[in-house]
Amino acid sequence: MNILFDLFWNFAYIGILSFGNAMSMIPEIERLITIHGWMDHQTYAEIYAMGQLVPGSNMLHIILIGNKVAGLPGAVAAGLGMFGPTSLIVYIVARILHFSTYPAWFKQLYSGLNPITIGLLMTIAWKLGQGTFNNIFLVIVCGVTVLLTVKQVVSSSGIVLLAALIGALKTWLFFH
Amino acid sequence: MKFPQEILEENNNSHKLQITCFKLVLFFGKVGATAFGGGVPAHLCSNFLKNAWLNEQECLELLNLCQLLPGATSVNIATLIGWRFQGLLGALIAPLALLLPGAIALLLTSNILITLTQQPIIQGALSATAAATVGLFLGVAIRLLLAVNRKYISFFISSIIFILVGIYQVPVPLIILPTLLLNFAWNRLQKGKLDEHSI
């Protein structure tokens, strides 16, 4: 039982501290799992890579840490810790914002968030792109995706699945 | 005769009424099961726009809140949208529907996945997925930028924020307050041409 609380609190700590982009917390997750002796760096790197193979949030891989430490209950505890408290914060903030009326200066202040949000989207693109673009083919895939997204001709998951297919096909042709 | 904006608002309102818990689960479950390569916030926003659940301005306000609150942005978005359409129950089921497909897939197939990550074909697919996800984020950023008032100034400010956070790795909370205060001061200077922003 103790280990479940441990998992919950540690990932709640990670979740609550992850501002902007949860990916920035990965060094901290690595530090935590080493301190607790839950797994080594090599296993964590493998788990992280496995997380990229399934759909959904990049942070979903942390349930595999819980699973390795304490089985299915551990996975649930880690997942609840990572996503539960922050969802509760969103819920509370949403309720407070909904039931208040705002003075004009608050609206003015808040409108300044728009460029920050767009800047952060560009930052995520940059972080994801680091170490990715090692050939011209990937640059083309990226450029076509930008066009298709702006024009909204194909659904977002369709674009990504198509890219995966083309990437696999290209590797297959290259190896044969 | 109605202006396009009014028709849009009416459409949005009628949609708001129709989004049941079932539709929420279907929508977030579908995105959760098909959003490969991370980038779920970009997938969600692109789908909100495509299904006319939200317009660009509403997407931007949603992202403002969900990116700046702690936690995974995609789960924050699911909580907020679930709450907006179906209250507390929606806030519970929407994030669950988003996370469960991936979580179940991870737990059931972890033994197979670990051998898959070493396959060159899978790695080729993964790097193409990563490149497409970068494009997805850029595409959503462009769409939102096109919908903002004062596009050029906004682009200038967001570029500075990108350089500070992305390249110089300044912590995000340190960026927020100065930017908000500068924007506030700027608005004060230009009192005549304030743009209306609703929350």
Side-chain angles (χ1 to χ4, degrees):
Chain A
M1 206 57 199
N2 229 344
I3 185 75
L4 293 186
F5 277 114
D6 240 22
L7 281 167
F8 180 85
W9 288 121
N10 278 297
F11 283 109
Y13 155 80
I14 294 285
I16 288 171
L17 280 190
S18 54
F19 280 95
N21 182 6
M23 305 260 281
S24 56
M25 291 306 286
I26 281 170
E28 185 65 9
I29 298 178
E30 277 201 295
R31 197 181 65 86
L32 275 185
I33 57 173
T34 334
I35 286 179
H36 291 271
W38 285 337
M39 57 176 55
D40 53 48
H41 287 293
Q42 177 60 32
T43 323
Y44 182 68
E46 278 169 10
I47 278 183
Y48 183 76
M50 282 151 72
Q52 308 302 301
L53 286 182
V54 298
S57 169
N58 271 333
M59 298 314 284
L60 213 50
H61 70 276
I62 56 106
I63 66 167
L64 286 183
I65 300 174
N67 190 44
K68 187 168 169 21
V69 175
L72 189 60
V76 174
L80 279 182
M82 182 77 203
F83 303 112
T86 50
S87 280
L88 187 68
I89 293 173
V90 173
Y91 178 73
I92 293 168
V93 170
R95 286 194 67 129
I96 294 171
L97 289 180
H98 188 64
F99 290 115
S100 321
T101 45
Y102 312 98
W105 64 264
F106 183 83
K107 282 190 181 178
Q108 283 178 25
L109 204 62
Y110 193 84
S111 73
L113 286 180
N114 289 345
I116 300 183
T117 295
I118 295 170
L120 287 182
L121 285 177
M122 303 196 305
T123 305
I124 299 174
W126 172 259
K127 289 256 160 77
L128 287 175
Q130 271 168 3
T132 301
F133 297 110
N134 44 20
N135 59 48
I136 187 79
F137 164 74
L138 295 176
V139 178
I140 296 171
V141 168
C142 177
V144 171
T145 310
V146 173
L147 265 178
L148 291 178
T149 308
V150 174
K151 296 278 172 206
Q152 285 202 314
V153 271
V154 190
S155 79
S156 55
S157 53
I159 299 172
V160 173
L161 289 179
L162 203 67
L165 213 65
I166 296 172
L169 198 69
K170 183 186 160 279
T171 320
W172 186 75
L173 288 175
F174 188 73
F175 271 85
H176 285 72
Chain B
M1 183 69 194
K2 277 175 182 153
F3 291 104
Q5 190 60 35
E6 283 180 311
I7 296 169
L8 194 74
E9 276 168 12
E10 273 183 11
N11 281 342
N12 274 347
N13 284 336
S14 61
H15 270 96
K16 267 172 208 162
L17 296 174
Q18 285 167 9
I19 291 164
T20 57
C21 285
F22 179 69
K23 272 194 180 170
L24 278 177
V25 171
L26 216 62
F27 181 92
F28 285 102
K30 195 179 144 211
V31 175
T34 52
F36 284 90
V40 190
H43 279 279
L44 284 172
C45 281
S46 151
N47 278 305
F48 289 142
L49 294 172
K50 208 173 164 76
N51 294 1
W53 279 24
L54 304 173
N55 60 33
E56 274 91 351
Q57 187 59 44
E58 289 168 318
C59 264
L60 201 53
E61 283 164 11
L62 181 78
L63 279 173
N64 282 346
L65 202 59
C66 293
Q67 277 203 326
L68 297 181
L69 289 175
T73 309
S74 57
V75 180
N76 290 353
I77 292 175
T79 310
L80 196 62
I81 291 298
W83 168 79
R84 177 166 164 183
F85 290 126
Q86 287 294 332
L88 180 58
L89 182 63
L92 282 173
I93 58 173
L96 275 180
L98 183 71
L99 288 171
L100 275 182
I104 292 170
L106 256 187
L107 291 174
L108 287 183
T109 57
S110 55
N111 293 330
I112 310 166
L113 290 180
I114 201 153
T115 52
L116 276 184
T117 50
Q118 274 123 39
Q119 298 289 319
I121 290 183
I122 299 291
Q123 281 174 352
L126 272 182
S127 55
T129 310
T133 306
V134 173
L136 195 58
F137 270 103
L138 286 178
V140 169
I142 291 171
R143 274 199 70 109
L144 294 181
L145 197 61
L146 292 178
V148 170
N149 301 328
R150 297 181 305 182
K151 289 178 193 54
Y152 298 108
I153 296 178
S154 292
F155 179 65
F156 179 66
I157 300 174
S158 38
S159 303
I160 292 176
I161 285 165
F162 163 69
I163 290 167
L164 288 177
V165 179
I167 297 173
Y168 290 104
Q169 312 216 327
V170 181
V172 178
L174 283 184
I175 297 289
I176 297 170
L177 203 61
T179 315
L180 288 185
L181 289 177
L182 274 178
N183 177 69
F184 185 62
W186 174 263
N187 276 341
R188 272 289 145 103
L189 284 174
Q190 298 213 320
K191 229 172 178 181
K193 10 174 176 167
L194 283 184
D195 38 359
E196 290 295 315
H197 277 275
S198 56
I199 291 177

